[in-house]
Amino acid sequence: MTTPTTDTATAPAAERRSWLRDHSELGVCVLLLALGVLVLTDALTMDVDIAQRGPVGPTTVPIVVGGGLLVVAALLAVDVLRGGRGQAETSEDIDLSEPADWRTVLLLTGVFLGAAVLIEPLGFPVAGALLFWGAAYALGSRGFDRDPLIAAVLSLVTYAVFNNLLGVPLPGGPLMGVL
């Protein structure tokens, strides 16, 4: 006697893979859920005695963002489970046949890492100006006469707003006495 060649163990596994493939957007829900929990955990365990400035403290925005992430994750999960599907990218301005522009990616990575390294010894105004100027150059701007000036003004305004108006201390570096 011969037994049927269909394996009963592979049928449920194939159905499970098919269901997961049809509901792959749930992965985004899990990512948003994890990110929301992380943000809320960090916000609720934050030491607020040092930077408390009035009724709206430094935990307000992270709590709102974390809660928003949880709500979006739940709404997206409900939509996906009800049959909602993400729309395919129409690629109106993206040519997928072209290779990635790794030069720009590497330049931006170098600029960000350089600013992170230089912010402590040089201070935010100088490191921020180098960051803004380097990012503009990496993204294609070649205004060598105006880009450094715009970067310096943008960095100084950002420093003044955060340090003086919002009370978020940023390292001033050598310019600490001047600013």
Side-chain angles (χ1 to χ4, degrees), residues 124-125 152-171 179:
F124 182 84
V153 168
L154 187 59
S155 180
L156 287 172
V157 168
T158 303
Y159 177 80
V161 167
F162 275 87
N163 199 54
N164 300 337
L165 296 178
L166 297 176
V168 177
L170 295 174
L179 300 175

Side-chain angles (χ1 to χ4, degrees), residues 100-114 134 138-139:
D101 185 10
W102 288 107
R103 179 183 179 273
T104 302
V105 172
L106 292 174
L107 279 172
L108 282 174
T109 302
V111 166
F112 285 127
L113 290 176
L139 294 173

Side-chain angles (χ1 to χ4, degrees), residues 54-99:
V56 178
T59 60
T60 304
V61 172
I63 288 174
V64 169
V65 169
L69 285 168
L70 295 179
V71 169
V72 168
L75 291 174
L76 181 60
V78 168
D79 181 52
V80 169
L81 293 174
R82 287 184 175 175
R85 302 275 309 171
Q87 295 295 319
E89 177 65 41
T90 58
S91 301
E92 57 192 45
D93 62 346
I94 299 171
D95 186 6
L96 295 177
S97 65
E98 290 292 319

Side-chain angles (χ1 to χ4, degrees), residues 17-33:
R17 266 194 304 273
S18 175
W19 188 87
L20 287 173
R21 188 174 293 121
D22 290 342
H23 297 89
S24 61
E25 290 92 350
L26 290 175
V28 175
C29 299
V30 171
L31 178 67
L32 291 174
L33 178 72

